[in-house]
């Protein structure tokens, strides 16, 4: 297919010749109202009613018992690892094809990321590759999982739902359970996506969301943890609020903890955004359907939902047949006022993770050269 045709199609569906960004937030509801209310109240910082309201609503929306609001998605991942007891020199299994924040959070704990391959269709952690790695490398002692070769404990697994496409999380949780490994679902990109009508973020022990400006909905900056485990929820709240023990006036803190609590002003924004989430998802689905119809008769693969999943279509994905084809498309679109982006470089290529353990990464290497994100913003007339 001719890139010129694609460029004019994208310009037509966004109704402009001006610059078309990859993804911008949309504020069409109570955002200004809640922000003004928050400022008028003077409670703009870490204590305030919008934070509590948001925690209730994110739990309800995802179908979890508890929600804990934090400053960003990376902090949510870091907190999740901490409350599950990940220690210095432990190993944490994750996918090699992910956004760097997943691996960074593991490094914050002075633990070692181990990069496992992804599935070709979901682009998320592959249960097959995970099983292969564990069968070859792991053993169970005292109900804990150890890497036979490095002697380190394998203390968590973080699958990630790439661009909102659900990975095979049920199989992954089953395998991890057999090996005594807790699962943290990095659902930063998958708010609103589901599998068998169950929301992503609720399959593992803890689910993590991001509300950064480029995600489906935004708090300006923000994140959340969801869990059904009361003990973990309490620990998360404690660790993200300086470890302060409740008292009417005394300052007592019982551990070295973090100031990771989401400010009320950000919570005001995300409360307004959450009210529009279902509408935003429908709008994004309409766009995805238009892309799908357009690329149907092309030689490119416009990524669509796999069986029993519902995708939030955060960022639409087009798969090319070769790196050359992909590079030409990136060049042509970006030179023509259309922002497109390649998928991330694999984690083992980055200087700080280049000595980490990794499997063959066969599928990840294939996808790394071929996947491109298309403009995916909410459209006012969509
Ligand atoms: C955005 C993102 C994060 C981090 O979220 P921030 O709020 O930007 O810290 C983590 N993991 C993945 C996969 C992401 O896409």
């Amino acid at each position: 297919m001719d890139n010129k045709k694609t460029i004019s199609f994208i310009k037509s569906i966004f109704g402009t010749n001006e610059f078309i960004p990859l993804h911008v937030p949309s504020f069409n509801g109570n955002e200004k109202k809640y922000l003004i209310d928050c400022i008028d109240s003077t409670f703009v910082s870490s204590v305030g009613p919008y934070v509590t309201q948001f925690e209730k609503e994110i739990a309800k929306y995802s179908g979890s018992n508890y929600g804990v609001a934090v400053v960003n998605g990376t902090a949510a991942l870091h907190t999740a690892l901490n409350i599950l007891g990940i220690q210095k020199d432990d190993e944490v299994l994750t996918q090699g094809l992910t956004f760097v924040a997943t691996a960074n959070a593991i490094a914050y704990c002075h633990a070692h990321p181990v990069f496992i391959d992804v599935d070709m269709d979901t682009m998320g952690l592959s249960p097959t590759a995970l099983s292969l790695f564990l069968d070859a490398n792991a053993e169970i002692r005292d109900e804990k999982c150890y890497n036979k070769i490095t002697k380190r404990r394998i203390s968590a697994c973080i699958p990630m739902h790439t661009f909102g496409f659900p990975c095979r999380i049920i199989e992954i949780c089953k395998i991890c359970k057999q090996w005594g490994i807790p699962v943290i679902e990095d659902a930063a990109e998958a708010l609103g996506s589901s599998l068998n009508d169950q929301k992503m973020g609720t399959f593992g022990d803890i689910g993590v969301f991001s509300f950064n400006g480029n995600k489906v909905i935004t708090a300006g900056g923000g994140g959340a943890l969801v869990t059904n485990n009361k003990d973990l929820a309490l620990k998360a709240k404690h660790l993200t609020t300086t470890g302060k023990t409740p008292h009417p006036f005394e300052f007592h803190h019982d551990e070295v903890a973090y100031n990771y609590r989401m400010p009320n002003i950000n919570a005001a924004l995300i409360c307004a955004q959450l009210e529009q989430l279902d509408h935003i998802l429908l709008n994004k689905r309409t766009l995805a359907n238009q892309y799908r119809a357009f690329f149907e008769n092309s030689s490119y693969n416009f990524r669509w939902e796999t069986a029993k999943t519902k995708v939030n279509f955060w960022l639409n994905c087009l798969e090319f047949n070769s790196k050359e084809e992909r590079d030409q498309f990136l060049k042509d679109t970006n030179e023509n006022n259309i922002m497109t982006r390649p998928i991330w470089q694999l984690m083992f290529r980055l200087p700080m993770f280049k000595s980490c353990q990794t499997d063959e990464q066969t599928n990840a290497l294939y996808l790394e050269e071929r996947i491109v994100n298309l403009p995916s913003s909410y459209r006012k007339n969509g």
Side-chain angles (χ1 to χ4, degrees), residues 15-251:
T16 180
N17 265 320
E18 315 267 294
F19 175 69
I20 302 171
L22 193 67
H23 198 281
V24 287
S26 59
F27 302 120
N28 301 307
N30 288 319
E31 287 86 357
K32 285 182 185 164
K33 187 174 162 216
Y34 293 174
L35 284 172
I36 289 167
D37 174 64
C38 180
I39 289 166
D40 286 347
S41 79
T42 76
F43 286 96
V44 294
S45 204
S46 316
V47 181
Y50 284 111
V51 178
T52 319
Q53 184 187 327
F54 169 61
E55 288 181 332
K56 277 197 195 121
E57 282 173 7
I58 191 68
K60 186 168 165 232
Y61 178 81
S62 62
S64 293
N65 290 344
Y66 306 96
V68 177
V70 293
V71 286
N72 57 52
T74 316
L77 284 168
H78 185 203
T79 303
L81 288 161
N82 264 315
I83 59 178
L84 287 169
I86 279 61
Q87 303 280 316
K88 183 172 186 290
D89 279 334
D90 283 358
E91 290 179 0
V92 176
L93 311 178
T94 190
Q95 58 205 58
L97 183 73
T98 185
F99 178 59
V100 69
T102 321
N104 278 343
I106 298 167
Y108 295 168
C109 298
H110 304 280
H112 303 266
V114 176
F115 301 118
I116 310 289
D117 203 6
V118 293
D119 278 330
M120 200 69 99
D121 55 352
T122 70
M123 301 181 282
L125 187 69
S126 162
T128 319
L130 179 65
S131 258
L132 274 173
F133 177 85
L134 288 166
D135 288 341
N137 295 283
E139 64 182 357
I140 293 181
R141 276 185 277 128
D142 307 327
E143 290 170 33
K144 287 173 182 158
C145 186
Y146 290 88
N147 186 319
K148 285 187 286 195
I149 294 137
T150 62
K151 310 287 181 215
R152 293 171 184 147
R153 186 177 162 205
I154 300 173
S155 56
C157 176
I158 315 184
M160 196 279 281
H161 306 295
T162 302
F163 304 132
F165 291 82
C167 71
R168 289 192 169 73
I169 190 69
I170 295 172
E171 290 87 336
I172 290 166
C173 288
K174 201 171 147 201
I175 294 162
C176 286
K177 198 169 177 194
Q178 284 163 359
W179 288 93
I181 302 170
V183 175
I184 300 165
E185 241 181 295
D186 185 345
E189 306 181 353
L191 181 72
S193 295
S194 58
L195 169 64
N196 298 331
D197 289 324
Q198 182 180 340
K199 292 273 168 31
M200 307 326 290
T202 63
F203 291 85
D205 297 276
I206 301 172
V208 162
F209 298 116
S210 163
F211 304 100
N212 193 32
N214 61 348
K215 296 300 201 296
V216 172
I217 54 170
T218 185
L225 298 91
V226 292
T227 180
N228 285 329
N229 183 319
K230 187 177 182 181
D231 187 44
L232 288 177
L234 290 172
K235 276 187 180 158
K237 197 150 183 168
H238 191 67
L239 193 66
T240 54
T241 52
T242 68
K244 188 178 182 299
T245 44
H247 190 280
F249 47 82
E250 280 288 353
F251 284 106

